[in-house]
Amino acid sequence: MIEPLNDQTQVLEAIKEVLEGKYDDELTGAVFACGELTVTIRKEAIEKVLTFLRDDAACQFKQLIDICGVDYPKRDPRFDVVYHLLSMKHNVRLRVKVAVAEDEPVMTVTGVYAAANWFEREAWDMY
């Protein structure tokens, strides 16, 4: 279990360790940059991992800030779907990314975060 800490970097490090321990097969990357943590997971695991991040007492990412897309035209797979989460309990944000090809759908997460509905439709329309 993660103990509440004052230092946000320590909280994010602990969350990274929890994710690596529990979802090692689904996690394809975890990077710290500018004091922020970005984790990349397999697209098949998005609903499962986001549910864990929301419900686990150690994480408590109860708020979906937004969902956006990133286009890397020269990369395969070409797109990233990016979920920005907030844990008010720990006062930290987390970025979760899923890499997908142009013709690959990503499972909806409206069952995890109802607010995802609008963001998913906007991302679909844009990309």
Side-chain angles (χ1 to χ4, degrees), residues 12-32 37-41 49 52-53:
L12 289 172
E13 282 282 357
I15 290 169
K16 177 180 177 263
E17 288 176 19
V18 167
L19 287 172
E20 288 173 337
K22 184 160 181 72
Y23 293 107
D24 190 46
D25 292 340
E26 288 90 354
L27 196 66
T28 61
V31 178
F32 273 98
L37 174 61
T38 301
V39 295
T40 306
I41 60 170
V49 172
F52 172 79
L53 289 168

Side-chain angles (χ1 to χ4, degrees), residues 20-106:
E20 288 173 337
K22 184 160 181 72
Y23 293 107
D24 190 46
D25 292 340
E26 288 90 354
L27 196 66
T28 61
V31 178
F32 273 98
C34 302
E36 297 179 353
L37 174 61
T38 301
V39 295
T40 306
I41 60 170
R42 298 185 195 293
K43 74 178 181 89
E44 299 81 16
I46 188 64
E47 186 177 32
K48 177 172 54 172
V49 172
L50 289 183
T51 299
F52 172 79
L53 289 168
R54 180 195 68 194
D55 295 343
D56 186 75
C59 299
Q60 297 290 302
F61 285 95
K62 298 287 187 185
Q63 188 168 359
L64 173 71
I65 301 298
D66 70 4
I67 301 172
C68 61
V70 183
D71 184 2
Y72 298 98
K74 296 179 192 235
R75 188 188 81 179
D76 187 33
R78 179 175 176 173
F79 296 102
D80 280 348
V81 179
V82 184
Y83 304 82
H84 294 103
L85 308 176
L86 172 66
S87 171
M88 294 193 318
K89 176 182 178 181
H90 297 297
N91 191 29
V92 293
R93 294 175 186 254
L94 176 67
R95 183 178 300 113
V96 179
K97 297 192 318 182
V98 175
V100 294
E102 195 167 339
D103 58 350
E104 286 182 301
V106 178

